[in-house]
Amino acid sequence: MEHVVVIRPKKRLAIDWKELKEYRELFFYFAWRDVKVRYKQTAIGILWAVLQPFIQMVVFTLFFNKAVGIETGSAVPYAIFSYTGLLFWNYFSQALQRSANSLVDNQAVVTKVYFPRIIPPISSTIVSFIDFCFASIIFVGLMIYFQFTPSLLGILLVIPAIFVTFLAATGPGLFLAAVNVKYRDVKQALPFLIQLGLFLTPVIYPVTAIPERFQWLLYLNPMTGVINAMRASFLGAGEIDWPLTALSVIVAVLLFIGGLYYFKGREKEFADII
């Protein structure tokens, strides 16, 4: 019996969960394929996910802490202070970059086969999450080495922090994936914007390095709330500013809704113009 797929127009913010369930295997297929391509023919494979943030931490500590003199604003050693920021920043930046390029990277499939177009951008964040999990091993090792004991609050905040990072990366990722289909400038400009974003996010410096009256501006960046909350709850580096952290969460939610809205409005054009 012939299987017929009927494609009906959907509301801009509606997610067809039933359809996504039918195509759920594609999430894992795209993610697993991306993992294999990423580490294929590498000598140390998935260990690159651990090595890259570790080397970044060493370079940041030597340059920004030892040479330039940037301090943590607390008794927390700079190495674990910067690694906490890098851990979540790298998850955000890699998820954003991969989701933004996901449709173009799967151009041959998008033009030939129907499936929910939202699957490639979402599945690409799974690869970044796998890297995040492996990089977290180094974070645990640093906590043991520097003799930090995680607080109950810190443990409880890990999953919300990961979820907010996911929203903050996926929302702009969906928007840029839709724009990238028509304008390939996105692929060229995004690495530069991410590098710029690193310095606009308190990864290498504490929030307190900014004058207090301007600190709320930093929290308009969702990653500021995530990184500061993780440092405060795991390392005791300052305190969590709950109202401003809530501001970061609200911005992350709005970014996700905005990105999803734009993506859903453009997805019917992807196969024609990609």
Side-chain angles (χ1 to χ4, degrees), residues 47 56 63 77 97 100 113 119 124 135 140 164 172 177 190 198 254 268:
L47 286 179
Q56 282 180 296
F63 183 76
Q97 191 160 3
V113 183
I119 289 179
S124 62
V140 173
V164 172
L190 192 55
L198 173 65
L254 291 177
K268 60 181 180 295

Side-chain angles (χ1 to χ4, degrees), residues 152-168:
L152 177 61
L153 178 62
I155 294 172
L156 293 176
L157 286 179
V158 168
I159 292 178
I162 292 172
F163 185 63
V164 172
T165 305
F166 168 79
L167 292 179

